[in-house]
Amino acid sequence: MTTAQTAGHLIVECLAEQGVEVAFGVPGESFLAVLDGFHAYRDRLRFVVNRQEGGAAFMAEAHGKLTGRPGICFVTRGPGATNASIGVHTAFQDSTPMILFVGDVGSDFRDREAFQEVDFAAFFGPSTKGMAKRVERIDDADRIPEYIARAFSTAMNGRPGPVVLVLPEDMLRQKTAARPLARVEAVQPWSDPGALRTLRELLLRSERPLVIAGGSGWTPQSAQALQRFAELWKLPVANAFRFQDTFDNHHPQYLGDVGIGINPALAQRVKDSDLVVAIGPRLGEMTTGGYTLLEAPRPRQKLVHIHASAEELQRVYQADLAINAGMSAAARSLEVLSPPPELPWEAWTEAGHADYLAYLEPQPLAGRGGAAPRGSIDLAAVVGLLQRYLPRDAVITNGAGNFASWVHRYFRYHGLAKGFKTQLAPTSGAMGYGVPAGIAASIAAGRVAFTIAGDGDFLMNGQELATAVQHGGKSIVLLLNNGMFGTIRMHQERDYPARVSGTALHNPDFCALARAYGYAAERVQTVDEFEASLQQALQADRGTLIEILLDPEIITTRGTLTSIRNAAQAKAAD
């Protein structure tokens, strides 16, 4: 006879059966029975207690990115769920598998606007414009295994994304003899052989092809197969926005990343291409330069779009060839396509890589009066030190802000083909992502995690340093402090030059704040000081924050506030 247990315990056991080893969240009285389940099954998985639900959801999303299986987050109703929605939205736009469990009001209180009650189906609204792929409420404890197995399947299959499961408080206390279902694996749609023949014909008719790789669903094995395909056909490869670790940046056929701050030469090369083969990305606004590099709905270039979700294909772009295939299946199919003896685009590929190498060379930034900004830190050199000292499997994380442009431009990812996913960054443009993502990588994966953050970005989730200390995480945080919301200020200077409003910040002593949480902290002023601090942080037994006071003039890798303002004023004068 099967022994009955509470529904709260069964939920945790089901997660363990799905291979979950860590869950993130903030406790709430609405799911106390689940918290008791974590205690009962503490030898199989652990519950990481966060300080705010937004940080918890970001950690779960980051874990989903790292593992390819759903990151797990638990929050309470009302404020807990609405705080966590930022992580759900990030998982949706980034196509990351994730499951958010929401403790809810009891069934007998529902629809009375009870304490903290929210209509979660309406709030998370599954649709092509929503925040979740599926939102379901579990009212019957005996059906918990069914709902959890379906959530895992939905989160991983097709275009991966978040699922929300709502847990009424009274249901969680019910007794049930139900047992967990077997571990769910993602289903791989395979490339149609006829479509592969058509792709080969398109390649043979091309003179200037270009591959754009990215999106979710990649494994080391599929990344290696992609590399073999590119090498056989001598194809130039660029990575999609914030998926810079899909293809090895050190490879002689790599062209750079197609996203914010794109190399102008690469942007022109995308436009000049006669065949774009997009493998994995959904071709959103950032990867297409606001739908200008590839014009919607019908690009000037021939377009082959390969994606795991049939619903994503032909949704924005009318491709000449749409192939519904998972990344593992697609890459393995492509690597067996036989090329002809000679290919006409070898010089095109070599020139594209030369453009990428040239863009890695920093250019002087002119500030006030044409002089260089007074800041003594060479941020390109700082990134060079990261390249030198960080282990090859280190995870690089960031939130949203111009501060990320230095890592995006100058850091060269070895790529998934080397065995590890090493970039965690939100394509959704969510601020506050980098700090919790780095902590999640440190806690759950045990890898060196390096986070670059701005002052505005850091304060959105800096409280999670306390989570790191409590649970044994030790990320390294580089904080670039320029006393403003830099990205918004940049746009402000473009549209309303010299009319500053709402973008200046008065900041705390970040080093003192980090030390209060239990991190080591140091403020550096030179590249040499940063090098010493980085070496020390890598050997430390706790996390470290390194602060750089940055001249506000240094706004991007390609310009200063003064240059942006002057250009805007000159344009207005014309």
Side-chain angles (χ1 to χ4, degrees):
M1 178 180 292
T2 302
T3 303
Q5 62 181 332
T6 65
H9 284 214
L10 176 60
I11 286 172
V12 179
E13 186 184 13
C14 286
L15 293 178
E17 289 297 315
Q18 291 297 331
V20 175
E21 297 179 346
V22 60
F24 305 91
V26 177
E29 67 272 21
S30 58
F31 63 99
L32 291 176
V34 176
L35 294 176
D36 193 63
F38 280 116
H39 182 272
Y41 289 97
R42 62 189 179 278
D43 60 330
R44 299 184 63 181
L45 74 165
R46 59 174 170 159
F47 182 61
V48 171
V49 181
N50 290 86
R51 300 310 174 97
Q52 206 262 6
E53 291 88 355
F58 277 149
M59 286 195 187
E61 195 278 347
H63 195 235
K65 269 195 176 85
L66 278 177
T67 63
R69 292 187 64 82
I72 304 299
C73 183
F74 280 85
V75 298
T76 195
R77 59 203 179 211
T82 53
N83 279 341
S85 65
I86 188 171
V88 177
H89 181 256
T90 298
F92 188 87
Q93 289 223 322
D94 288 38
S95 302
T96 303
M98 173 183 171
I99 303 175
L100 177 71
F101 291 86
V102 181
D104 197 18
V105 300
S107 302
D108 51 344
F109 287 0
R110 192 183 306 158
D111 300 327
R112 294 175 174 173
E113 196 183 345
F115 180 61
Q116 299 182 338
E117 184 178 7
V118 170
D119 182 344
F120 294 111
F123 181 74
F124 288 106
S127 73
T128 57
K129 297 180 181 178
M131 281 193 284
K133 291 184 69 176
R134 184 187 291 271
V135 182
E136 293 188 326
R137 179 189 304 275
I138 307 178
D139 287 313
D140 183 351
D142 290 339
R143 295 182 63 187
I144 285 172
E146 170 194 343
Y147 278 98
I148 289 182
R150 181 162 61 240
F152 272 79
S153 177
T154 302
M156 290 189 292
N157 285 321
R159 174 182 166 183
V163 173
V164 177
L165 290 181
V166 182
L167 312 173
E169 185 176 359
D170 53 338
M171 182 277 297
L172 292 175
R173 294 192 294 266
Q174 293 175 8
K175 290 283 188 175
T176 176
R179 304 301 304 142
L181 293 175
R183 177 184 168 106
V184 174
E185 301 292 348
V187 176
Q188 283 286 323
W190 279 85
S191 309
D192 173 60
L196 291 171
R197 287 192 293 270
T198 302
L199 170 57
R200 186 176 186 276
E201 292 169 2
L202 287 169
L203 282 168
L204 293 177
R205 292 198 295 268
S206 174
E207 295 180 355
R208 299 178 305 280
L210 174 66
V211 173
I212 300 178
S216 63
W218 291 94
T219 64
Q221 294 74 25
S222 57
Q224 290 159 8
L226 169 66
Q227 182 171 312
R228 288 190 290 269
F229 164 64
E231 290 169 347
L232 279 172
W233 285 81
K234 298 180 173 56
L235 289 165
V237 181
N239 287 330
F241 176 57
R242 287 184 170 164
F243 289 101
Q244 289 171 252
D245 59 352
T246 308
F247 191 83
D248 187 356
N249 299 183
H250 297 78
H251 197 281
Q253 291 167 226
Y254 181 62
L255 270 61
D257 65 298
V258 184
I260 296 175
I262 185 173
N263 179 355
L266 176 55
Q268 188 61 49
R269 197 166 292 275
V270 176
K271 292 179 180 180
D272 291 343
S273 172
D274 59 6
L275 174 64
V276 172
V277 182
I279 310 175
R282 61 183 179 87
L283 296 177
E285 176 186 351
M286 296 306 167
T287 296
T288 63
Y291 309 104
T292 61
L293 302 180
L294 294 172
E295 295 178 2
R298 186 69 180 172
R300 295 188 310 276
Q301 311 91 326
K302 293 285 186 182
L303 174 63
V304 176
H305 194 185
I306 304 175
H307 200 275
S309 171
E311 294 179 351
E312 192 63 33
L313 295 168
Q314 313 290 35
R315 184 166 74 88
V316 177
Y317 286 98
Q318 290 296 306
D320 295 272
L321 176 62
I323 300 177
N324 180 206
M327 294 308 96
S328 293
R332 288 164 62 187
S333 299
L334 292 172
E335 71 170 328
V336 299
L337 284 184
S338 58
E342 294 185 6
L343 296 164
W345 55 72
E346 288 189 56
W348 162 262
T349 300
E350 291 172 1
H353 184 64
D355 289 341
Y356 167 66
L357 294 179
Y359 197 59
L360 290 174
E361 294 298 321
Q363 300 299 312
L365 298 177
R368 305 175 185 86
R374 67 178 182 273
S376 59
I377 290 282
D378 180 348
L379 291 175
V382 165
V383 177
L385 292 173
L386 301 182
Q387 199 82 62
R388 176 180 175 184
Y389 287 110
L390 292 182
R392 184 170 288 193
D393 67 342
V395 180
I396 313 297
T397 80
N398 62 266
N402 280 2
F403 60 85
S405 65
W406 275 272
V407 171
H408 287 353
R409 177 170 174 177
Y410 296 119
F411 193 83
R412 302 177 70 183
Y413 293 88
H414 287 283
L416 271 164
K418 301 299 184 183
F420 299 96
K421 179 160 185 62
T422 53
Q423 183 185 36
L424 297 178
T427 68
S428 67
M431 291 182 69
Y433 178 89
V435 170
I439 294 168
S442 176
I443 291 175
R447 289 158 63 186
V448 171
F450 184 91
T451 297
I452 183 169
D455 43 340
D457 179 78
F458 176 84
L459 280 178
M460 290 198 174
N461 271 313
Q463 77 283 341
E464 298 305 335
L465 296 188
T467 302
V469 172
Q470 181 174 346
H471 294 278
K474 52 173 190 174
S475 62
I476 302 171
V477 180
L478 172 61
L479 195 155
L480 302 182
N481 180 1
N482 63 1
M484 63 182 176
F485 287 118
T487 302
I488 311 307
R489 176 68 181 278
M490 178 184 71
H491 290 294
Q492 192 173 60
E493 293 287 0
R494 285 175 176 168
D495 296 339
Y496 304 95
R499 295 177 62 84
V500 180
S501 175
T503 52
L505 297 174
H506 176 75
N507 287 320
D509 182 333
F510 285 110
C511 288
L513 182 62
R515 293 187 194 106
Y517 282 125
Y519 264 47
E522 186 174 2
R523 186 175 295 115
V524 301
Q525 296 180 314
T526 68
V527 172
D528 288 342
E529 289 176 352
F530 174 78
E531 181 176 15
S533 294
L534 177 62
Q535 289 178 295
Q536 186 174 354
L538 287 168
Q539 299 300 319
D541 59 0
R542 57 175 173 163
T544 301
L545 181 140
I546 304 170
E547 181 185 12
I548 294 176
L549 296 177
L550 194 64
D551 189 322
E553 274 290 300
I554 306 175
I555 198 66
T556 74
T557 63
R558 288 160 57 178
T560 62
L561 279 180
T562 296
S563 65
I564 292 167
R565 183 187 308 118
N566 289 345
Q569 290 173 333
K571 183 177 180 181
D574 289 341

